[in-house]
Amino acid sequence: MKTRILQSRQPRIRYVSPRFQGPAVLAFAAIIAIGGVIFWKLVDSQFQRVFLHTAIRGHYTFDSAYDIVRDLLSWHLAGLFFGVFLAGSVLVLFLVAATRNGIGKAVDSLRASADGDLSTPTGTCPIGEFNRFGEKIDGARSDTLASVEMIRGNAAELAAGGMSPEEFRLRWDELKQQIRTIAP
Amino acid sequence: MTGPKAAGDIALVQRRYVYGLLLRLCVNTIGGVGILFLILYFALSRPLPGDYSGVFHALRNLSPFLRPILAISVLLYALLACGSTSALCVYILHKVAGPLYRIELVLDQYRSGTHTRTVSFRNGDQIQPLAHTFNQWIGSLRRDRNRWLATMMDAERHCLQDEATCRAEMEGALRKIAGDMARYR
């Protein structure tokens, strides 16, 4: 019973991140829609022409209208497949490149942070989600730097002396508390 | 393989993931085009009459219906292909979006001052080095924090001696900590 209560309290994993997956879905949908419209326009005009031509010519060796346009339809369907697939592949490769670039810079930034560099901006690519993510990392780093700078200033001030033992002890304890708040 | 080297060796986005995504996209596109072909095949495969005038009129009469037939079939194709590709995007891209969302949550927790746990992604998730470097950063901060606290506690031990020694040790410890913190810029 206790386990069930604990499980129900755990946050659910969100399977849709609209800011990241939404634009990708829209871009794929646009490719499919554009491909469909081009296919429709081309096939419509050519089928109209072919049916008219065949009706006037009077060579009726075909069992159905499909037999008349079979080759034409096959070529256009092949064109639609390659067009949509190639454009989709380019989009996939673009997304992968943007991810590698954006997250790569975030990784470099965190690596530099581990070496003490908390001020150099992450500089992720200006694609919405990665840019926002980079800003979040920079925010966390600047908060840490501000906290460390404040503690450092207090430590230096305290080390300079010139205060009563009571005040020194009070501020010493405060400083310890401040240090404990770093990376809780 | 030790930590940093292992992190450097793992690709942010694995090739297998990219190939899998392209393969699924290919299958999806083939499926969409196949459905479009089937719709058009059934719409156009009605047998033509045998005589000259019947065939002539059948072909002439097909023209006005061709545009709506094509429009409906392309619309169906677009809806089905968009639906399946959207599902594919949500499912596949979640392997990147999920870890990003997770790290964002942890960053928010970190900034709000609550306890930050070690980040680990699920099996099959991409951008694994991000979790590794984040853990490295938090780890180095915690090591420094513990060292500074240890320095202060070490100085406090001298308070068992006389007041002047205690104060001198404490001030020395503070100078050491301030100097140590200077590496953060």
Side-chain angles (χ1 to χ4, degrees), chain A residues 14 21 28 44 48 60 63 66 100 116 118 132 136 143-144 151 163 169 172 176 182-184, chain B residues 13 44 48 55-56 63 67 89-90 94 104 108 110-111 116 142 145 156 167 170 174 181 185:
Chain A
R14 282 190 205 170
Q21 285 154 302
F28 277 112
D44 181 44
Q48 297 277 7
Y60 303 121
D63 293 330
Y66 169 73
R100 280 187 177 142
L118 297 171
R132 210 176 57 83
K136 279 214 161 185
D143 282 0
T144 309
I151 293 168
M163 60 184 76
R169 192 72 208 186
W172 172 270
K176 263 169 76 178
I182 294 174
Chain B
V13 181
L44 298 171
L48 292 170
V55 172
F56 180 80
S63 295
R67 189 158 287 166
C89 275
V90 169
H94 184 64
E104 272 187 32
D108 286 341
Y110 173 78
R111 292 186 75 181
T116 313
R142 283 186 179 146
R145 180 196 65 191
E156 279 172 353
R167 181 76 179 252
M170 281 175 153
L174 288 169
M181 281 179 174
R185 59 194 186 280

Side-chain angles (χ1 to χ4, degrees), chain A residues 4-79:
Chain A
R4 278 174 60 190
I5 291 165
L6 279 173
Q7 278 174 350
S8 65
R9 277 180 190 167
Q10 281 176 351
R12 288 182 64 194
I13 298 169
R14 282 190 205 170
Y15 280 92
V16 182
S17 172
R19 278 190 295 260
F20 182 71
Q21 285 154 302
V25 168
L26 285 178
F28 277 112
I31 287 171
I32 291 164
I34 289 167
V37 168
I38 292 170
F39 174 84
W40 177 43
K41 284 283 172 196
L42 287 176
V43 166
D44 181 44
S45 63
Q46 288 186 14
F47 276 18
Q48 297 277 7
R49 193 166 39 81
V50 166
F51 284 140
L52 185 69
H53 187 66
T54 311
I56 293 165
R57 226 174 23 162
H59 292 169
Y60 303 121
T61 55
F62 305 105
D63 293 330
S64 64
Y66 169 73
D67 285 341
I68 298 169
V69 291
R70 180 171 31 198
D71 291 346
L72 197 62
L73 182 64
S74 304
W75 279 112
H76 279 95
L77 284 173

Side-chain angles (χ1 to χ4, degrees), chain B residues 114-183:
Chain B
T114 51
H115 176 68
T116 313
R117 282 184 293 181
T118 308
V119 181
S120 58
F121 297 152
R122 297 158 301 185
N123 280 341
D125 273 348
Q126 302 301 303
I127 57 172
Q128 295 281 351
L130 188 64
H132 187 85
T133 45
F134 180 79
N135 291 336
Q136 262 187 334
W137 176 45
I138 296 295
S140 81
L141 279 175
R142 283 186 179 146
R143 271 194 305 277
D144 283 349
R145 180 196 65 191
N146 291 339
R147 196 174 60 246
W148 297 329
L149 287 172
T151 307
M152 289 180 91
M153 283 182 335
D154 195 41
E156 279 172 353
R157 279 213 301 270
H158 290 90
C159 292
L160 296 172
Q161 298 171 22
D162 61 297
E163 182 66 29
T165 313
C166 170
R167 181 76 179 252
E169 285 295 331
M170 281 175 153
E171 283 174 358
L174 288 169
R175 274 191 292 275
K176 190 168 177 269
I177 289 167
D180 211 11
M181 281 179 174
R183 87 178 185 94

Side-chain angles (χ1 to χ4, degrees), chain B residues 62-128:
Chain B
L62 190 63
S63 295
F65 296 107
L66 196 61
R67 189 158 287 166
I69 289 170
L70 278 171
I72 290 168
S73 55
V74 167
L75 192 66
L76 274 174
Y77 152 75
L79 287 175
L80 288 170
C82 282
S84 58
T85 311
S86 302
L88 181 75
C89 275
V90 169
Y91 173 70
I92 298 287
L93 293 181
H94 184 64
K95 304 226 176 274
V96 174
L100 271 183
Y101 178 71
R102 173 114 176 77
I103 287 275
E104 272 187 32
L105 277 184
V106 174
L107 282 171
D108 286 341
Q109 279 176 359
Y110 173 78
R111 292 186 75 181
S112 69
T114 51
H115 176 68
T116 313
R117 282 184 293 181
T118 308
V119 181
S120 58
F121 297 152
R122 297 158 301 185
N123 280 341
D125 273 348
Q126 302 301 303
I127 57 172
Q128 295 281 351

